[in-house]
Amino acid sequence: MAEPPDGRPCVGVFARAWAKAVAGTSYLPMTHAQLETLLQRLTNLLAEALRAEPLDLRVGHRVADELVAAHIASAEALGRTVEVIQLRLVRDLDLVADDIEDRMARLLGAVATGYARALRDRTLDEQESIRRAAMTAQAEAEQALRASEARFRHQATHDPLTDLPNRTLFAERLAAAVDGSAGSGRRVGLCFLDLDRFKRVNDSFGHQIGDRALVAAARRLRRAVEPHLVARLGGDAFVVLVERSTGTGDVVAVAEAALAALSEPVVVDGHDVTVTASVGIVERRVAGTSPDDLMRAAGSTLHWAKSAGGAGWALYDAERDGREQARQELSAAIPAGLERGEFFLDYQPLTSLHDGSLLGVEALVRWRHPRLGVLRPDSFIGLAEETGLIVQLGGWVLAEACREAVGWTSASGQPPYVSVNLAVRQVRRPGLVQEVRALLRRTGLPPNRLQLEITESTMMTTSEEPVRALRALADLGIRIAIDDFGTGYSNLAYLRDLPVTELKVAGEFVRGLRAPEARADERILASLVSLAHALDLTVTAEGVETGGQAERLRAIGCDAGQGWHFGRPAPPDHILARIR
């Protein structure tokens, strides 16, 4: 085949025409200049193939492969490529040969065939890529799901802050330890541990440092009690499970190791954070117990350790626990007892030491318990005060005393007043004055026939509200008495600022008057009576049990007495009979 006259084919002209023909037929990830450069190279390959002897049809396949690889791969792009090569290649490159048309046709056929094959291969490759991508995506999704499930399980069974087992995992392990060995002689132990006053750490240094101190404490606990399971139950509470205990000593040793591990200060961000802990210890045979019984007993024992001042351990005591459970049951039954009318009042006389007349009566609450019989106040008043139920119970006592006393009339002289004890919570409760005023209005009891007894400790507060309330009650005409005087602060000076009308001297002083030679108590009582009278206060002596005591109290100037010598607590009809 002959060369063009100047020996330099016009490759650039043809390549530009080819680029113009295929531009816009497919998305091409290249600039127009890059496209022309590619097509110039392919044009040279086509020209060399047409000149070569014999004709190498593989060049057509190669050109097709490169076109498809360059994304010139649409049917329109193929058509325009065949068209421009067929119409312009020979002319623009001035190719001359006797069989040029035949060679061109065969070469274009090879391009078309290669184009179809390249498109097929690319489709297969894309399908394989899609299949592999799908398989990879599925594998990654399954792996992510497994990882997510695993994370859902360091979250469901482990505490996120300390990485210790949490309450759920601990409950599972405890149940397995108890249920799996119920028929054997194995023993199990628990150390229920709570950091003492840890709230102060958060308040002093902030919750971030508090959390880091908790993490450090958890790490120390884990090391100290290995191989036993230690779990965080929440807040600053932890528990250690001793699955194969050989006796109480094993569990005590674990508790002491835990306390020792926590005794050293923790340095957090330059702050020395010192924590102590209280531990409740329970150790018993697996047979006959349950996880709930163990945890309840451990919780009670932890409370004992904290009540003792903390920074130590307490051992479970079944008898003590039984007494406290009975107290809790009794406390919980108070509201229902009030609703069912199980409470009633007895009254004890307050008698004049001068003429023996009945000045008043003190209301004393009783509980006719359906199972335990009649209970005295010392069985349930303390519980009511601890739980706050004393407000409800005390309100009932006050209302019942006023209701019963209003019906007492005397054939001659003034009817006795009724004296009612007010608990600390009642005196410090807003609305006391309005409550008493409404009660007197509702029952019709004259204010001067009601005496309210308070203890010295009731007034030992920085708040002025209790004093204001007592003054308002005194302004209504109600009598105010200090009960059990001498057992508290015994400070007569502060009485000058209180609207008090009477002192009730504690029976501890009166008891000493039974011995004729006991002069110290008599001198103390004489001093109290003298000082009280100087403040215009009357004095009632409690706990008078003998005539000798009554005589000595009368001799020192005491105004009134209360005790078995003058009468035991009795129902209201007995009081009414005495009045009449």
Side-chain angles (χ1 to χ4, degrees):
M1 181 176 292
E3 293 284 345
D6 57 4
R8 295 199 324 238
C10 297
V11 174
V13 174
F14 177 77
R16 283 193 292 275
W18 191 359
K20 183 177 180 181
V22 299
T25 61
S26 305
Y27 167 72
L28 303 178
M30 61 181 72
T31 65
H32 195 77
Q34 290 172 330
L35 176 62
E36 287 190 11
T37 301
L38 169 65
L39 295 181
Q40 279 186 3
R41 184 167 56 78
L42 298 183
T43 299
N44 287 328
L45 289 176
L46 290 170
E48 292 173 1
L50 289 173
R51 295 190 189 101
E53 287 293 347
L55 178 64
D56 188 359
L57 297 179
R58 291 176 299 178
V59 173
H61 298 160
R62 179 180 172 186
V63 169
D65 287 342
E66 294 207 32
L67 288 172
V68 172
H71 297 280
I72 307 172
S74 66
E76 185 179 2
L78 174 60
R80 292 190 179 186
T81 293
V82 171
E83 182 180 9
V84 74
I85 292 175
Q86 188 174 25
L87 294 178
R88 297 194 57 163
L89 181 63
V90 172
R91 185 190 66 192
D92 289 352
L93 272 61
D94 198 17
L95 299 175
V96 179
D98 293 337
D99 57 350
I100 189 66
E101 292 184 0
D102 178 65
R103 295 169 72 90
M104 177 63 75
R106 293 172 61 195
L107 185 59
L108 284 176
V111 170
T113 301
Y115 215 84
R117 184 193 65 193
L119 285 174
R120 180 199 64 196
D121 292 344
R122 192 181 79 161
T123 300
L124 292 176
D125 289 344
E126 289 177 348
Q127 290 176 344
E128 179 65 16
S129 296
I130 293 172
R131 186 182 71 83
R132 289 180 180 274
M135 292 177 62
T136 301
Q138 182 179 3
E140 290 176 349
E142 291 175 352
Q143 183 178 3
L145 178 61
R146 287 193 296 270
S148 176
E149 290 174 346
R151 284 193 301 272
F152 175 76
R153 286 193 296 269
H154 290 331
Q155 294 175 359
T157 62
H158 282 72
D159 174 55
L161 178 64
T162 63
D163 200 35
L164 290 177
N166 63 7
R167 184 185 296 270
T168 300
L169 180 55
F170 172 78
E172 292 175 358
R173 287 283 297 273
L174 179 59
V178 173
D179 298 339
S181 309
S184 68
R186 286 175 53 183
R187 305 181 69 87
V188 66
L190 289 183
C191 292
F192 198 165
L193 182 148
D194 190 83
L195 302 184
D196 298 327
R197 297 172 290 278
F198 191 75
K199 183 177 181 296
R200 294 183 181 178
V201 176
N202 288 326
D203 292 343
S204 300
F205 303 112
H207 286 274
Q208 185 174 7
I209 289 180
D211 285 349
R212 292 175 64 183
L214 272 178
V215 171
R219 191 180 303 117
R220 289 184 179 186
L221 281 174
R222 176 183 287 171
R223 288 198 302 263
V225 304
E226 285 179 340
H228 305 296
L229 175 73
V230 56
R232 184 188 181 204
L233 299 186
D236 52 15
F238 302 85
V239 64
V240 182
L241 173 62
V242 182
E243 294 192 48
R244 294 180 179 271
S245 170
T246 61
T248 301
D250 285 353
V251 192
V252 169
V254 170
E256 291 182 338
L259 291 173
L262 294 173
S263 62
E264 294 295 325
V266 179
V267 180
V268 181
D269 285 351
H271 300 283
D272 285 339
V273 180
T274 302
V275 295
T276 60
S278 300
V279 184
I281 299 174
V282 178
E283 197 278 343
R284 62 177 60 161
R285 289 172 60 91
V286 170
T289 191
S290 70
D292 287 343
D293 288 341
L294 284 166
M295 285 301 295
R296 192 205 59 77
S300 296
T301 312
L302 172 62
H303 176 70
W304 302 342
K306 282 194 168 293
S307 299
W313 54 266
L315 189 62
Y316 178 72
D317 181 340
E319 291 185 3
R320 179 178 178 181
D321 189 33
R323 291 193 300 270
E324 292 194 353
Q325 283 195 67
R327 283 171 54 85
Q328 292 302 319
E329 292 174 3
L330 198 62
S331 173
I334 290 176
L338 284 169
E339 291 181 4
R340 291 193 293 260
E342 295 172 0
F343 290 88
F344 65 96
L345 298 181
D346 277 345
Y347 297 90
Q348 188 169 30
L350 302 175
T351 305
S352 170
L353 289 174
H354 301 298
D355 58 12
S357 62
L358 182 65
L359 301 176
V361 293
E362 179 178 353
L364 301 173
V365 64
R366 306 286 190 258
W367 186 358
R368 191 176 289 106
H369 194 279
R371 181 169 54 86
L372 302 176
V374 175
L375 302 178
R376 294 172 56 84
D378 54 2
S379 300
F380 56 86
I381 289 295
L383 292 175
E385 289 177 339
E386 291 174 10
T387 59
L389 291 171
I390 192 63
V391 173
Q392 181 181 2
L393 178 59
W396 178 88
V397 171
L398 180 61
E400 184 70 2
C402 291
R403 185 188 67 81
E404 291 184 334
V406 76
W408 299 341
T409 58
S410 177
S412 63
Q414 174 72 14
Y417 61 83
V418 63
S419 190
V420 180
N421 287 277
L422 288 187
V424 175
R425 288 177 183 262
Q426 289 178 277
V427 178
R428 297 180 181 176
R429 179 169 173 258
L432 172 65
V433 177
Q434 292 80 357
E435 178 184 344
V436 174
R437 184 186 290 117
L439 176 62
L440 294 177
R441 185 168 54 248
R442 185 169 65 250
T443 61
L445 182 70
N448 65 344
R449 290 188 55 205
L450 174 63
Q451 176 170 279
L452 299 178
E453 296 186 18
I454 61 174
T455 60
E456 295 176 76
S457 59
T458 303
M459 310 313 300
M460 295 299 110
T461 174
T462 57
S463 174
E464 295 183 1
E465 288 302 318
V467 176
R468 279 199 288 265
L470 291 180
R471 288 197 180 111
L473 292 171
D475 289 342
L476 293 176
I478 296 171
R479 301 166 57 93
I480 306 296
I482 300 293
D483 190 23
D484 285 331
F485 189 81
T487 60
Y489 294 91
S490 302
N491 186 352
L492 286 170
Y494 77 92
L495 295 177
R496 292 177 301 179
D497 300 322
L498 296 179
V500 175
T501 56
E502 178 170 319
L503 293 185
K504 297 188 72 176
V505 178
E508 284 84 345
F509 295 101
V510 178
R511 193 173 300 120
L513 298 183
R514 300 184 68 171
E517 68 278 4
R519 299 297 179 184
D521 285 334
E522 186 172 349
R523 286 194 294 269
I524 292 173
L525 283 170
S527 298
L528 287 177
V529 170
S530 176
L531 289 172
H533 286 170
L535 293 171
D536 293 328
L537 304 177
T538 59
V539 180
T540 297
E542 299 178 312
V544 182
E545 298 180 354
T546 68
Q549 289 174 321
E551 285 300 325
R552 296 177 74 173
L553 288 167
R554 183 182 301 112
I556 64 175
C558 189
D559 302 289
Q562 175 182 358
W564 289 3
H565 175 68
F566 299 106
R568 299 196 177 202
D573 56 337
H574 289 205
I575 301 299
L576 186 59
R578 178 170 175 176
I579 295 172
R580 292 177 177 173

